[in-house]
Amino acid sequence: MLTHIHIKNFAVVEDIAIDFDAGMTVITGETGAGKSILIDALGLCLGDRADSSSVRYGADKAEISASFDLHGLAQAQAWLAKHHLDSDDDLVLRRIVTSEGRSKAYINGVPCTAQQCNELGEFLVDIHGQHAHQSLMNKKTHRHILDALIADTSYLHRVRELAHEFREVKKELDALTQGNSDNQEAKAFLEYQVEELQSVILSADELESLEQEQDLLSQGETLIKQLSEAAYHCEQQSDGLRQTIRLLESGLKSGLTSEAYELLNSALIQVDEARRDIERRSDKLELNPERLVEITERLDKVYELARKHRTQPDQLAQKLQTYELELEALLGADERITELKRQLTHIQAAYGGAAEALSGQRKAAAEHLQSEVHDQLQSLAMGQCRFGIALTPHISEIPSPYGAEEIEFKIATQREGELKALAKIASGGELSRISLAIQVVTAQQAVTPTLIFDEVDVGIGGATADIVGQRLHGLTSHSQVLCVTHLAQVAGQGDHHLLIAKHNDDSGVRTVIERLSNEQRVEEIARMVGGVNITDQTKAHAAQLLRQYS
């Protein structure tokens, strides 16, 4: 629970420190005295947005620190341990706001973010504001109130997760399919190009070999004739060399012709070998017009595709590889689209199951809230009213993070009247009491150690005010209650009483907070009952109120 708060240079507060106890603490003061300053200051420690306007005029910075006793608060202690901010049973939140608008936050002296303070604050304090009845006009508020009554929030979180996942997958799918028609045209074009190139594609070695074969086949008849003549001349040369060699044989003994003999003999061997090679190659050559036509047509296609793709014939293989990679990317996009559609179907099925389970929880929570609010309205002089909660299914192709139904609070001011939207049928005073009834019920369900009610009794008076005080005090059985009020009947039921007043002196306007004794409480409650003119009669009435509720 909240044990202490120290406020310095905040709004019109110069420097105040207040201790808090268990039970119900009421906070009163004249209109404009700044009764909500305590709550606003605490809100800053709990992560509310800060700006320079909250700094007292003339001061460099505002500083607020709030201390809490965490005894028995397992969730808060677990959060601190998770963020390596372990403590025993004591917690101090501190917030500093400079006149330039800069802000710093601390948890147990360790710098942290306002968001972290907000997360931790959810385990510590629940603030019910004076304008809660106005927010009842918003269906979003109705959903928040009802969902807060669900003990097992796993389906609530699951629905939100699946809805978010669906939107992310759908976003990717839409991006892929947005230009799907263009992709199909590109895919058809690439498939044609790849097929065409694959039908004629040649490696560099194959291209060179075919070009050589084409050259041979196209010159076949001429080459055969030329080789035949070359072989004949080689034969003639061989005969001449043999005759010459025989003429030199007589000079071999003297060594006169031995060198020439060896050279001519070697030449004869080479000429004979050349002739035999020419004859072998000539025998292999054949005239094949069909093969020549086949090779020529294929090479013509290669040269044509090279011109078409503006590249060299030996670079067509590289061009084919480029097209294949582009086609693979498009085919991969088609596969991804198929996979994303499968994912969406799976997510929708999972969402449907989680949303159905959440709907069941909401229906049970709605029945409970309707019954409890009805009981509260009975005691708040609205027993003739009927409070209802409409759960209206909404059909949508896109899963909603808020579940499968719209939630709306409705009221009938007569027992047999038709349930209608609050905005259409309830007056301001009725809305205040309906709001208070709902807040009391939801506060009873809460496990938050400190409950703060900031003038939630607006629009309520008379005998109903007694009941309001009783309901608020009844919450002290499980929580510490702080209540800013303007009703004497509510103030009289507090276990502790703080008075907020605004003083004017040479240093300017400043707000002070004072813990009241029993005698001082009589004076303050008398003021609340009788206004400016406090008489013995109003004091007696105030004393009677305190005795009645003590």
Side-chain angles (χ1 to χ4, degrees):
M1 71 173 189
L2 178 66
T3 58
H4 179 83
I5 190 167
H6 181 200
I7 306 172
K8 186 174 181 180
N9 293 325
F10 176 72
V12 291
V13 172
E14 185 174 15
D15 193 342
I16 57 174
I18 309 161
D19 293 323
F20 294 92
D21 300 298
M24 177 174 166
T25 298
V26 295
I27 303 168
T28 66
E30 294 184 359
T31 301
K35 295 189 291 298
S36 297
I37 282 180
L38 269 177
I39 297 171
D40 294 339
L42 182 59
L44 276 180
C45 284
L46 298 173
D48 284 356
R49 184 176 178 181
D51 59 59
S52 59
S53 64
S54 60
V55 180
R56 178 178 168 84
Y57 178 76
D60 294 331
K61 63 182 179 180
E63 185 172 349
I64 304 103
S65 62
S67 301
F68 295 85
D69 180 0
L70 300 185
H71 180 71
L73 301 183
Q75 287 182 307
Q77 291 175 334
W79 189 95
L80 289 168
K82 177 182 176 181
H83 293 81
H84 308 291
L85 296 166
D86 302 17
S87 66
D88 295 325
D89 286 334
D90 296 322
L91 168 69
V92 178
L93 301 180
R94 183 166 168 244
R95 191 77 179 271
I96 297 174
V97 183
T98 69
S99 57
E100 291 83 19
R102 294 190 297 272
S103 171
K104 295 181 181 179
Y106 302 86
I107 297 177
N108 283 339
V110 178
C112 62
T113 65
Q115 177 61 32
Q116 287 178 309
C117 292
N118 186 272
E119 291 175 8
L120 179 58
E122 292 182 0
F123 304 119
L124 304 173
V125 177
D126 189 7
I127 299 176
H128 299 258
Q130 58 180 305
H131 302 296
H133 65 284
Q134 296 176 8
S135 66
L136 278 181
M137 299 297 182
N138 191 335
K139 291 182 183 179
K140 180 179 177 181
T141 302
H142 303 172
R143 186 182 69 249
H144 286 323
I145 291 173
L146 187 63
D147 287 348
L149 297 178
I150 297 175
D152 178 9
T153 59
S154 58
Y155 288 117
L156 185 64
H157 295 314
R158 184 62 177 153
V159 161
R160 290 173 183 169
E161 291 171 357
L162 288 170
H164 175 72
E165 186 177 351
F166 184 94
R167 280 167 166 74
E168 290 299 310
V169 174
K170 184 72 164 55
K171 181 180 178 181
E172 182 181 355
L173 178 61
D174 290 343
L176 286 175
T177 57
Q178 188 173 11
N180 194 46
S181 59
D182 292 339
N183 288 344
Q184 294 302 320
E185 292 178 4
K187 185 174 70 173
F189 170 78
L190 287 172
E191 287 175 339
Y192 173 77
Q193 299 296 334
V194 167
E195 183 180 357
E196 185 179 48
L197 286 172
Q198 285 176 337
S199 67
V200 299
I201 199 68
L202 297 172
S203 68
D205 291 341
E206 288 176 321
L207 179 63
E208 183 179 2
S209 176
L210 280 180
E211 287 176 335
Q212 289 176 352
E213 186 178 358
Q214 182 194 40
D215 186 56
L216 286 173
L217 288 172
S218 64
Q219 302 181 57
E221 190 173 337
T222 301
L223 284 173
I224 290 173
K225 182 179 179 181
Q226 290 173 342
L227 289 174
S228 178
E229 289 180 359
Y232 171 76
H233 286 300
C234 285
E235 182 64 30
Q236 294 299 316
Q237 293 296 326
S238 295
D239 290 343
L241 287 171
R242 289 187 185 97
Q243 293 177 5
T244 305
I245 291 171
R246 283 195 295 269
L247 292 174
L248 295 177
E249 286 178 350
S250 59
L252 287 177
K253 290 182 179 181
S254 62
L256 180 66
T257 60
S258 59
E259 184 175 353
Y261 181 87
E262 292 296 332
L263 288 172
L264 288 172
N265 198 43
S266 175
L268 176 61
I269 292 171
Q270 291 185 33
V271 170
D272 284 343
E273 182 64 31
R275 177 184 55 79
R276 286 191 292 271
D277 184 68
I278 290 170
E279 288 173 347
R280 284 196 302 271
R281 293 185 181 278
S282 178
D283 291 341
K284 289 181 179 180
L285 280 176
E286 57 179 303
L287 299 178
N288 190 342
E290 292 82 4
R291 175 62 177 165
L292 178 60
V293 170
E294 177 187 343
I295 292 175
T296 300
E297 288 179 349
R298 189 173 184 190
L299 287 174
D300 285 345
K301 185 65 174 177
V302 170
Y303 300 145
E304 179 186 348
L305 288 177
R307 288 192 299 271
K308 175 182 175 181
H309 294 284
R310 298 181 181 181
T311 188
Q312 297 299 316
D314 59 354
Q315 297 295 315
L316 284 176
Q318 184 176 348
K319 180 66 70 172
L320 171 61
Q321 184 180 21
T322 301
Y323 287 150
E324 286 175 334
L325 290 174
E326 292 178 4
L327 180 59
E328 183 181 351
L330 288 178
L331 293 174
D334 286 346
E335 292 176 1
R336 181 59 178 163
I337 287 173
T338 301
E339 170 61 18
L340 290 174
K341 288 180 178 178
R342 187 196 66 79
Q343 287 185 27
L344 286 183
T345 300
H346 175 74
I347 294 171
Q348 279 183 313
Y351 177 87
E356 183 178 0
L358 176 60
S359 296
Q361 290 179 321
R362 282 173 167 170
K363 182 178 180 181
E367 292 174 353
H368 171 75
L369 182 59
Q370 285 176 171
S371 175
E372 292 294 317
V373 170
H374 175 73
D375 291 344
Q376 294 295 331
L377 290 177
Q378 291 272 22
S379 62
L380 294 173
M382 291 184 68
Q384 78 283 3
C385 293
R386 288 188 301 115
F387 175 76
I389 302 175
L391 304 179
T392 308
H394 64 83
I395 308 300
S396 173
E397 295 182 359
I398 306 297
S400 167
Y402 308 118
E405 56 273 316
E406 296 286 344
I407 300 169
E408 184 176 15
F409 292 171
K410 294 189 174 185
I411 193 76
T413 55
Q414 300 297 326
R415 293 185 184 277
E416 304 301 325
E418 178 186 357
L419 288 171
K420 294 183 179 180
L422 296 178
K424 294 182 178 180
I425 195 167
S427 65
E430 289 171 331
L431 277 176
S432 296
R433 281 180 279 180
I434 294 168
S435 172
L436 180 60
I438 292 173
Q439 290 182 73
V440 169
V441 172
T442 54
Q444 288 172 340
Q445 309 298 318
V447 293
T448 312
T450 299
L451 302 175
I452 298 178
F453 295 89
D454 184 11
E455 295 194 20
V456 296
D457 47 17
V458 171
I460 295 172
T464 306
D466 288 332
I467 305 299
V468 171
Q470 293 172 20
R471 293 292 180 268
L472 293 177
H473 194 276
L475 298 175
T476 60
S477 61
H478 61 80
S479 296
Q480 175 191 41
V481 175
L482 275 63
C483 177
V484 177
T485 183
H486 67 285
L487 294 177
Q489 295 95 322
V490 174
Q493 298 187 56
D495 300 305
H496 320 284
H497 195 149
L498 299 178
L499 174 65
I500 297 184
K502 190 176 290 186
H503 287 186
N504 241 327
D505 53 31
D506 294 340
S507 62
V509 179
R510 56 191 178 88
T511 291
V512 296
I513 302 178
E514 181 182 5
R515 180 183 291 270
L516 301 184
S517 65
N518 286 336
E519 293 76 13
Q520 291 171 321
R521 290 189 71 186
V522 171
E523 291 287 335
E524 172 59 12
I525 292 175
R527 181 198 64 77
M528 298 173 72
V529 173
V532 177
N533 298 319
I534 299 176
T535 65
D536 291 340
Q537 185 177 358
T538 55
K539 287 184 180 181
H541 179 55
Q544 176 60 33
L545 275 178
L546 289 174
R547 286 194 298 271
Q548 176 183 339
Y549 298 131
S550 61

